[in-house]
Amino acid sequence: MLDDTIAAIATPLAEGGIGIVRISGPQAIDIAEKVFIPVSNSLWRKQKYKLVYGHVVDNRTGKIIDEVLLSNMPGPKSYTREDVVEINCHGGPVPLRKTLELILGAGARLAEPGEFSKRAFLNGRLDLTRAEAIIDIIRATTEDALQLAVSQLSGRLAQEVDAILNELLSVVVLVEAAIDFPEDEVEDYSPERINERLGKVSAKAQSLIDSAEMGKVYREGLRTVIIGKPNVGKSSLLNVLLREKRAIVTEVPGTTRDIIEEILNLGGVPVVLIDTAGIRKTGDAVEKIGVARSLESIDRADLVLMVVDASTELDSEDEEIIDLVKNKRGVLVLNKIDLEAGSAVKNKNQLTFKLPHWPMVEISALLEQGIKKLEQTVVELVTGGQVLPRDGVMVSNVRHRNQLVKAKEHLREAQEAINLGLTPELVVIDIRAAWEAVGEINGSVITEDIVDKIFADFCIGK
Ligand code: GDP
């Protein structure tokens, strides 16, 4: 157990019904007692897991700061496994800040971002995959993304990882036995058997790696750019999508100009539209934001929605843009099919020839036709027709994926060593390395700075 006691405001610093200040550590209850006076129940320390009504009081002045409810959750049955006290204040920045200030004055230390979850991990309540799932739950933008994170929190991925670790460890033990004793004396040991078992682990790792592409989309959203020459209907399409599908608007500060990212929910897939501010401000994502900028947005995009005007012939401007995007994954959006000439969709053949792998969808942004079809096309392109495996395990975290790739590489080397007839001493090095790579996923093998890095990504109070 860690010996200092930490505290932080665990809810957003904004107006709301309630706001919570959380304290965790060996002094949590003593510290709470210095700032909290119960209205009637003076024996609250003994009443575990109950809400106690009272006031936060500044002892120096005797002034009441807020009327609150306090919950006393002694370890180990708490979020961090330490003694935890949460004080439900009124949700306003001033009572929350003042309450926190008094708690810090009474001996707690301000928690770093993610420090409560880090303690839960260090005290063995959560493995890393579950701790990381918590941040994904907080950041989920659609129900499917939430479902994925909740499944990870429930330990589905943790179980898979454990199974791989156990299998690798048992292989390591066997190979090490073969190092210490003559091979024919170790029952179960034969290079062929070991090779076969490593092959199975490797296949399992690969199927998790395969799930990661879709997992990443659910976790981070599909970065999408709408592109096309002026007047083809990009802003019209954007507006229809926003009206129907908008999930969340986030501002990304710290760039030269604030980029507005809109998150759409397309059939459960979170789609992050890049540079929507550019489209709206200028009515054109290509021309007016400059070629360099548009190249950059195309570069960052997982998906391109290329809009062309179906009612006119393709021209050199369209073709230039096609050249920019042809190596990306995308959907061709033929807009304005409501127009007389649009219904004939004269550009179809030419476009199929130029972008043979891109699905094509005909829409009218004006009449809001074809939008559902566009949505289905995007979802199909992303999922390859698969639905989100409700009970299967999916890797959604890039860190986890990278560790699996590393592990697979070590397994390949181990198998190669066996095939070359190398000694068990050499073979076991790679198997151990694979075991360590997988161990970093759940934190059973991990260094302090990796832990610090992971939890630094959390918000304060979590
Ligand atoms: P952008 O420059 O690509 O963003 O194009 P806009 O969305 O500003 O649209 C340019 C013009 O085309 C506007 O006058 C729109 O009303 C019109 N427009 C957009 N979509 C359609 C459509 O589906 N059908 C028709 N008939 N007009 C459209």
Side-chain angles (χ1 to χ4, degrees), residues 396-432:
S396 61
N397 185 307
V398 182
R399 191 185 74 80
H400 300 165
R401 180 189 175 278
N402 292 346
Q403 290 307 120
L404 287 164
V405 170
K406 263 191 221 166
K408 241 203 108 208
E409 184 54 25
H410 290 302
L411 289 173
R412 195 188 56 72
E413 281 165 7
Q415 287 187 292
E416 211 171 272
I418 293 174
N419 291 335
L420 288 172
L422 299 185
T423 60
E425 282 92 336
L426 291 172
V427 173
V428 84
I429 295 173
D430 286 314
I431 309 180
R432 267 193 176 282

Side-chain angles (χ1 to χ4, degrees), residues 229-237 279 283-284 335-339 363-367:
K229 70 180 182 186
N231 279 322
V232 291
K234 293 179 298 296
S235 1
S236 308
L237 171 62
I279 298 179
D284 174 24
N335 189 30
K336 308 197 189 182
I337 53 156
D338 55 289
L339 294 178
I363 69 161
S364 164
L366 188 72
L367 303 182

Side-chain angles (χ1 to χ4, degrees), residues 173-217:
V173 168
L174 205 56
V175 179
E176 284 191 339
I179 296 173
D180 295 338
F181 306 97
E183 282 179 31
D184 45 4
E185 278 181 23
V186 181
E187 219 183 312
D188 289 343
Y189 180 87
S190 80
E192 297 73 35
R193 270 289 293 144
I194 298 295
N195 204 349
E196 193 189 313
R197 287 173 72 178
L198 294 182
K200 281 195 184 140
V201 174
S202 187
K204 221 177 197 180
Q206 185 59 49
S207 79
L208 288 175
I209 294 168
D210 289 343
S211 75
E213 192 186 347
M214 218 161 116
K216 178 171 176 279
V217 165

Side-chain angles (χ1 to χ4, degrees), residues 12-13 43 57 59 65 69 89 142 160 175 203 215 273 317 330 333 341 356 362 376 382 393 420:
L13 258 189
L43 296 174
V57 176
N59 269 335
I65 302 303
L69 286 173
C89 300
T142 67
E160 288 283 303
V175 179
L273 286 179
E317 233 179 317
V333 183
E362 295 169 25
Q376 284 163 357
V382 177
V393 177
L420 288 172

Side-chain angles (χ1 to χ4, degrees), residues 82-364:
E82 302 173 333
D83 290 349
V84 171
V85 173
E86 285 181 0
I87 301 180
N88 295 15
C89 300
H90 285 104
V94 178
L96 285 169
R97 281 215 182 95
K98 185 73 196 164
T99 301
L100 177 63
E101 196 185 301
L102 292 176
I103 290 167
L104 298 180
R109 165 172 72 71
L110 184 63
E112 286 162 21
E115 201 172 355
F116 293 96
S117 303
K118 182 171 158 185
R119 288 189 170 201
F121 165 67
L122 292 175
N123 293 329
R125 195 176 89 73
L126 295 167
D127 79 329
L128 274 186
T129 64
R130 291 186 223 202
E132 287 170 299
I134 290 167
I135 194 162
D136 290 350
I137 288 178
I138 294 172
R139 294 195 180 149
T141 48
T142 67
E143 281 181 35
D144 282 349
L146 176 64
Q147 170 117 31
L148 184 59
V150 169
S151 138
Q152 189 171 317
L153 180 64
S154 76
R156 294 298 314 261
L157 180 61
Q159 280 167 13
E160 288 283 303
V161 169
D162 269 347
I164 293 181
L165 283 173
N166 287 337
E167 172 65 2
L168 284 176
L169 195 60
S170 114
V171 174
V172 167
V173 168
L174 205 56
V175 179
E176 284 191 339
I179 296 173
D180 295 338
F181 306 97
E183 282 179 31
D184 45 4
E185 278 181 23
V186 181
E187 219 183 312
D188 289 343
Y189 180 87
S190 80
E192 297 73 35
R193 270 289 293 144
I194 298 295
N195 204 349
E196 193 189 313
R197 287 173 72 178
L198 294 182
K200 281 195 184 140
V201 174
S202 187
K204 221 177 197 180
Q206 185 59 49
S207 79
L208 288 175
I209 294 168
D210 289 343
S211 75
E213 192 186 347
M214 218 161 116
K216 178 171 176 279
V217 165
Y218 280 103
R219 180 171 187 261
E220 294 171 16
L222 185 74
R223 301 192 70 81
T224 301
V225 63
I226 301 179
I227 213 142
K229 70 180 182 186
N231 279 322
V232 291
K234 293 179 298 296
S235 1
S236 308
L237 171 62
L238 174 70
N239 289 332
V240 175
L241 289 176
L242 291 182
R243 197 162 52 244
E244 286 192 3
K245 309 285 171 202
R246 169 184 266 142
I248 294 175
V249 185
T250 56
E251 308 235 354
V252 186
T255 45
T256 43
R257 140 196 94 85
D258 282 0
I259 294 175
I260 296 183
E261 288 191 341
E262 313 262 7
I263 302 181
L264 306 177
N265 179 354
L266 290 192
V269 176
V271 168
V272 182
L273 286 179
I274 311 176
D275 253 340
T276 54
I279 298 179
R280 261 191 296 215
K281 238 186 256 164
T282 64
D284 174 24
V286 169
E287 279 291 286
K288 295 175 194 135
I289 59 171
V291 176
R293 271 282 306 288
S294 58
L295 275 177
E296 197 187 293
S297 352
I298 294 170
D299 223 34
R300 286 193 297 140
D302 304 315
L303 181 79
V304 175
L305 296 181
M306 158 125 194
V307 186
V308 295
D309 184 338
S311 70
T312 61
E313 300 282 351
L314 279 190
D315 64 16
S316 60
E317 233 179 317
D318 291 308
E319 288 181 8
E320 267 173 45
I321 300 170
I322 290 175
D323 269 345
L324 292 178
V325 300
K326 64 176 180 233
N327 295 324
K328 302 287 294 191
R329 185 156 70 154
V331 178
L332 264 165
V333 183
L334 291 172
N335 189 30
K336 308 197 189 182
I337 53 156
D338 55 289
L339 294 178
E340 183 72 18
S343 57
V345 196
K346 40 174 82 162
N347 296 318
K348 248 183 174 171
N349 286 342
Q350 236 177 317
L351 283 166
T352 314
F353 178 70
K354 288 188 179 303
L355 292 167
H357 303 299
W358 287 36
M360 203 186 297
V361 181
E362 295 169 25
I363 69 161
S364 164

